Amino acid sequence: VELFESGAILSYLADTYGGLKTSKQRAERNAWCMWANASLDPIIFIETPEGRVIDTGLRGNPRAVQRLDALLGKRTWLVDD
């Protein structure tokens, strides 16, 4: 298998080793992978138009990170806790 997107890699690893047995569990996992790629990545990595990372947006305690932190404060895992 040749994979290049982090979400695809995480999904492959979860399917191969993670033990998510139901389509509901896999859908929840996929939703978090897509959220990380679409919402979390641009917060963590502030880039130039050329794609060079120049800063991070984590210093300001962004709302998306607060949501993730609140959820993980109540459970160990994002899916199938």
Side-chain angles (χ1 to χ4, degrees):
V1 161
E2 185 175 320
L3 300 170
F4 57 89
E5 283 289 334
S6 61
I9 294 165
L10 291 172
S11 291
Y12 172 77
L13 291 172
D15 285 342
T16 304
Y17 304 105
L20 298 178
K21 295 174 178 57
T22 69
S23 59
K24 180 180 183 282
Q25 291 170 322
R26 289 188 297 276
E28 290 174 354
R29 182 252 348 258
N30 288 338
W32 280 109
C33 283
M34 290 179 193
W35 176 84
N37 286 339
S39 300
L40 189 59
D41 185 85
I43 293 170
I44 294 174
F45 305 109
I46 297 175
E47 301 178 359
T48 66
E50 297 79 30
R52 184 173 164 249
V53 176
I54 57 171
D55 204 353
T56 182
L58 290 174
R59 288 187 198 91
N61 198 17
R63 189 169 52 197
V65 175
Q66 291 174 23
R67 176 181 178 223
L68 180 61
D69 192 43
L71 180 66
L72 289 173
K74 299 175 194 167
R75 54 197 299 183
T76 302
W77 307 106
L78 292 172
V79 178
D80 196 36
D81 193 23

